[in-house]
Amino acid sequence: MIHSKPKPVAPSIVTARIYAVDDSEETRSVLALMLDKAGYRVRIFADGRTALDAARLQPPDVMLCDIGMEGFDGFDVLDALRADPETSGVPFIFLTGSGDHASIRKALNSRADDYLVKPIRLVELMPAIDRCLDRSATVRGEKPSRGRPDPVAPVPTVRFERLMETIEPAGVTSRETRFGAILYFDIRNFTTYAEYLAAEEVAEMLDTFFSRACDPILQQEGWIVKMMGDAVLAMFDVNKHGFECVLRAVRAALLIVMAASRFREWMSARFGSRALPDFAVGIGIHVGDAVVCGLAGDRDGATTLIGDTVNVAARIEELSRRLGWSIVVSRDVARLAGERIELGRSSTVALRGRDAPIEVVEVVGLRPPGGDAATNSSFYHALRKSVLENSALLSEPAEQSGMFVPEIEGYRLLRKLGRGGMSVVYLAEPSGGGPPCVIKLVEIGVNEAQAEAIDRFIQEYALVSQIRHPNVAMIHAQGFTATHAYIVMEYFHNGDLYSAAQQGLSMRQVLCCIRDIAAALDAIHRVDIVHRDLKPANVMLRSDGTAVLADFGIAKHLALNMTYTRVGQVFGTPHYVSPEQAMGRAVDHRSDLYSLGVMFYELTTGSLPYQAQDSAQLLGMHVNGEIPRFEEALAKYQPLLDGLMAKNPEHRFESARELLRVLPLYIANVHGRRAQPPGRRALNNAAFDR
């Protein structure tokens, strides 16, 4: 069992105050990390004038200063210090990238105490500071002291002091392997903040945010392993809470995003007049073994984490910007965290340094305990809202994505969600405020393909705008710019049914989804619309789990003669098309029922009913293959499947309405058997399969 507790502070030692000045952000970050880890009280400055003003108010014990800074260089800083009686005795160490003898002589002739050549190394920096402190003590007639903590009684750093007192776990060996969830997060656009804010302002921003953002880690009893400039590494140990440690890590991540959302108000109040980007964070979580070990050369006995699990957590956090997801977790984390976690999109990605790709999943929210939606519903809604807002800030604005994007009056495009055929889909927000939406764009052109795309686009709006039903995605508006046609549609931050199915659905959830889709089909069939592309990826989910039918891009109105439908042309996704679609024949509403049957089989078993080497063979199986059979434990659902997937449309359910009459009986008698997602491994430990 790991216990987190404060470590004692050596009362006899006053920690030295170090000022470091450098116009290189990289050097400032390295110095901050080295000096913080060594236990000094540290202030970092980006220019000499600001550092000089701070030194006059409170002289440091040692000043480290770059030479080659524009306007007011290191020699200017040293001259000003030596000219002031209050600061004339401050030990001064030059830092520079030039190692020639002339520069060294000039530095020492200007009454500098030491000279270090970049890149700065810990083994050179610490002795140089120690020598300066010892000389100062000797001048004062005191016993030389390093001004750093006693190795047996570590002193926490002043920055984040309240947090750092609680983060070091007891009983750490010099090298020990532990299993747990690794959480890594950082602040986006930190480079911009460092460029536009003074060093003290950056320090103030970091202190204020991390004091808020690290609280959730401590609340969930995690271990804050280390803070690295604008990033934090934390671990949730299985020895402390079993596999609940994974859920605790995800909870902490959600609360960190909420803290970032609220911190934007602080940033606006503090720096509202500055041209700064909106504040956002990216978080990555992976689970597995990590090695706890001491830092080489660290005299305070501090520890860190190394290993593949740590690397993966950091790498998938890097994906958050490209994917536009606030919280990116590995598939293992999504499985272990349990059913309370609300998941969004998923993707298979290649990571630097790894041969095999890894599947990652978006975390979008948290369900109330016990499934009681009324319990603190405002809190869980606020969590989801924070994640959505943070995700919208992670990606570059659409206009910076390297492609021309038109201005849509009344809307601001946030980021690209995807591309399909001739259309591109963006997440957007109304200029006057309101919930986010999706804008689908099609370029206006003169060639035949573009003309057909515009025809379909206009038809999609004409078809769906006439329907108002809770299980049919809403289209709010349609319009044209000089270059594009667009549709404004409802946005679903919980993602689609395909992503949810990867987590595994109970039989009740499967049947309820089929019921919701059947209700949507009944609504569109009543106005003579056939969807023609029914599949899990085209079914979206609301926050309460309601399934909503979307993407009517190839839907057909039976009363219209649509010129782009040619004899023998097949529309739809091959795995889900009906036999009549596969043969290029005329379709009616019963074709959608067949596709719904394919979905029912897939959601229930985790496998598609037909597999083939190419599309032609697959279409042939839809036409001539036998209706798939459920295993014995699911045999009672076979009549339902037969009524949906009959090869002859005349033998299927007569309508979606007829299907809706029989589904309640199946739902009422379901026994909660879990449906397995594609490729899911059977895990023996019950903690893996909540």
Side-chain angles (χ1 to χ4, degrees):
M1 184 72 70
I2 297 175
H3 301 281
S4 295
K5 60 181 181 181
K7 288 196 170 186
V9 174
S12 61
I13 295 177
V14 177
T15 307
R17 180 184 295 107
I18 309 295
Y19 289 0
V21 192
D22 202 292
D23 58 1
S24 164
E25 181 187 357
E26 181 180 358
T27 301
R28 293 197 301 271
S29 298
V30 170
L31 288 171
L33 177 60
M34 288 181 177
L35 296 170
D36 274 352
K37 294 299 296 182
Y40 293 117
R41 292 177 291 170
V42 185
R43 293 188 68 181
I44 305 295
F45 302 89
D47 66 273
R49 292 186 186 278
T50 305
L52 182 62
D53 291 341
R56 285 167 173 165
L57 290 173
Q58 187 175 33
D61 295 297
V62 177
M63 178 174 279
L64 311 171
C65 188
D66 182 28
I67 290 181
M69 299 183 292
E70 291 187 8
F72 198 76
D73 64 17
F75 292 110
D76 295 327
V77 175
L78 180 57
D79 289 343
L81 281 176
R82 296 290 183 253
D84 188 335
E86 295 295 324
T87 59
S88 60
V90 171
F92 194 94
I93 301 174
F94 270 128
L95 311 175
T96 183
S98 175
D100 62 273
H101 293 294
S103 297
I104 295 175
R105 283 196 300 272
K106 182 179 179 181
L108 297 179
N109 289 338
S110 62
R111 294 186 293 167
D113 293 88
D114 213 332
Y115 183 104
L116 296 177
V117 178
K118 301 177 186 178
I120 306 301
R121 297 194 301 160
L122 188 67
V123 294
E124 296 174 345
L125 178 63
M126 294 299 106
I129 293 175
D130 287 345
R131 287 192 296 270
C132 287
L133 293 173
D134 287 347
R135 283 198 293 269
S136 294
T138 301
V139 169
R140 294 192 302 268
E142 301 171 356
K143 181 180 178 180
S145 170
R146 302 305 186 201
R148 282 189 286 130
D150 190 312
V152 299
V155 176
T157 61
V158 170
R159 179 185 288 182
F160 321 126
E161 181 173 357
R162 180 177 63 82
L163 297 170
M164 297 297 281
E165 287 177 351
T166 65
I167 67 174
E168 188 74 11
V172 173
T173 62
S174 60
R175 188 176 182 87
E176 177 184 351
T177 300
R178 293 179 177 173
F179 185 91
I182 306 299
L183 182 152
Y184 184 90
F185 79 89
D186 74 356
I187 298 170
R188 286 306 146 91
N189 301 307
F190 182 73
T191 301
T192 304
Y193 297 135
E195 289 175 353
Y196 286 88
L197 297 177
E200 297 92 334
E201 292 173 328
V202 173
E204 178 189 6
M205 181 191 77
L206 291 175
D207 287 343
T208 306
F209 175 65
F210 281 135
S211 66
R212 302 180 184 188
C214 290
D215 273 346
I217 299 174
L218 302 179
Q219 291 168 9
Q220 297 299 319
E221 300 187 52
W223 167 29
I224 302 174
V225 180
K226 60 181 177 180
M227 298 177 177
M228 302 158 286
D230 62 326
V232 172
L233 175 67
M235 182 178 189
F236 297 78
D237 200 314
V238 73
N239 291 333
K240 198 167 188 178
H241 294 289
F243 287 108
E244 186 189 337
C245 70
V246 183
L247 175 60
R248 287 175 175 267
V250 177
R251 281 186 194 141
L254 287 163
L255 292 170
I256 290 168
V257 174
M258 178 177 277
S261 178
R262 293 171 177 170
F263 188 68
R264 282 194 287 276
E265 299 176 7
W266 184 91
M267 289 287 289
S268 178
R270 180 67 178 83
F271 305 118
S273 61
R274 314 286 185 90
L276 297 175
D278 289 324
F279 190 90
V281 296
I283 304 177
I285 308 176
H286 188 42
V287 63
D289 288 328
V291 178
V292 182
C293 61
L295 292 172
D298 196 303
R299 304 180 188 181
D300 300 339
T303 55
T304 189
L305 290 178
I306 60 174
D308 185 63
T309 304
V310 180
N311 294 336
V312 171
R315 294 288 181 261
I316 64 177
E317 185 278 327
E318 292 175 359
L319 295 171
S320 58
R321 182 179 181 86
R322 176 164 64 85
L323 296 173
W325 304 353
S326 294
I327 304 171
V328 186
V329 303
S330 63
R331 174 60 68 187
D332 289 338
V333 169
R335 289 171 176 165
L336 288 170
E339 296 179 351
R340 286 193 60 199
I341 303 304
E342 293 185 349
L343 302 175
R345 295 156 289 183
S346 63
S347 180
T348 300
V349 296
L351 299 182
R352 287 186 289 120
R354 290 177 64 90
D355 295 331
I358 184 173
E359 188 176 4
V360 294
V361 188
E362 177 189 27
V363 173
V364 298
L366 183 69
R367 298 183 180 90
D372 183 4
T375 303
N376 293 325
S377 59
S378 60
F379 169 74
Y380 293 98
H381 174 73
L383 270 183
R384 287 189 293 269
K385 184 173 183 290
S386 297
V387 172
L388 175 63
E389 291 174 347
N390 190 83
S391 296
L393 297 172
L394 288 179
S395 297
E396 292 180 350
E399 59 268 21
Q400 297 178 11
S401 62
M403 60 183 297
F404 173 75
V405 179
E407 292 187 3
I408 308 296
E409 185 177 357
Y411 298 93
R412 175 172 171 258
L413 302 186
L414 300 175
R415 59 183 172 88
K416 186 169 72 173
L417 295 176
R419 174 183 292 273
M422 303 291 290
S423 64
V424 183
V425 179
Y426 288 93
L427 178 66
E429 63 180 6
S431 302
C437 55
V438 168
I439 293 185
K440 186 175 182 181
L441 293 166
V442 170
E443 187 176 3
I444 299 173
V446 296
N447 63 48
E448 183 179 4
Q450 290 173 318
E452 286 192 2
I454 290 296
D455 286 345
R456 291 181 189 280
F457 204 67
I458 295 172
Q459 186 63 38
E460 180 176 2
Y461 176 75
L463 293 176
V464 185
S465 61
Q466 60 186 299
I467 301 171
R468 289 291 182 268
H469 191 277
N471 298 113
V472 178
M474 292 184 62
I475 292 186
H476 303 303
Q478 181 191 41
F480 296 87
T481 70
T483 56
H484 288 75
Y486 66 87
I487 293 176
V488 183
M489 302 181 291
E490 186 177 1
Y491 174 65
F492 301 90
H493 72 266
N494 277 359
D496 57 38
L497 182 57
Y498 176 81
S499 297
Q502 303 307 297
Q503 304 305 304
L505 301 172
S506 70
M507 276 307 305
R508 179 175 295 277
Q509 289 174 316
V510 170
L511 290 168
C512 287
C513 284
I514 297 300
R515 178 198 60 199
D516 291 347
I517 301 167
L521 292 177
D522 179 57
I524 69 171
H525 292 168
R526 282 172 171 270
V527 292
D528 290 333
I529 296 173
V530 182
H531 191 279
R532 298 201 300 172
D533 196 20
L534 200 60
K535 56 186 177 183
N538 285 342
V539 176
M540 311 306 292
L541 296 175
R542 291 205 168 93
S543 58
D544 62 358
T546 301
V548 180
L549 186 58
D551 201 340
F552 286 74
I554 63 171
K556 179 176 181 178
H557 197 295
L558 298 179
L560 298 177
N561 179 21
M562 298 166 70
T563 58
Y564 54 80
T565 302
R566 300 181 179 90
V567 176
Q569 189 170 0
V570 177
F571 287 95
T573 305
H575 281 294
Y576 302 91
V577 297
S578 65
E580 53 270 34
Q581 276 180 289
M583 292 185 287
R585 295 178 179 174
V587 299
D588 61 17
H589 59 275
R590 293 169 297 184
S591 178
D592 286 340
L593 294 179
Y594 181 92
S595 300
L596 184 59
V598 175
M599 286 178 55
F600 176 50
Y601 184 87
E602 179 185 11
L603 295 175
T604 303
T605 67
S607 301
L608 287 159
Y610 304 123
Q611 302 283 352
Q613 294 182 350
D614 56 48
S615 297
Q617 291 183 17
L618 188 58
L619 296 177
M621 296 178 75
H622 281 295
V623 174
N624 300 311
E626 295 290 332
I627 297 175
R629 312 303 297 176
F630 283 131
E631 61 184 32
E632 184 177 352
L634 298 171
K636 65 180 179 180
Y637 301 110
Q638 192 64 47
L640 183 58
L641 185 67
D642 291 343
L644 289 168
M645 288 191 66
K647 302 299 177 180
N648 187 338
E650 299 293 334
H651 298 159
R652 296 174 202 154
F653 284 101
E654 182 179 338
S655 64
R657 171 147 294 204
E658 182 184 3
L659 175 61
L660 286 169
R661 282 196 289 266
V662 304
L663 278 172
L665 180 63
Y666 285 99
I667 294 173
N669 289 283
V670 72
H671 293 299
R673 181 185 183 277
R674 193 176 182 83
Q676 298 297 319
R680 177 162 179 162
R681 294 175 295 174
L683 300 173
N684 295 325
N685 194 322
F688 282 77
D689 193 11
R690 299 176 186 272

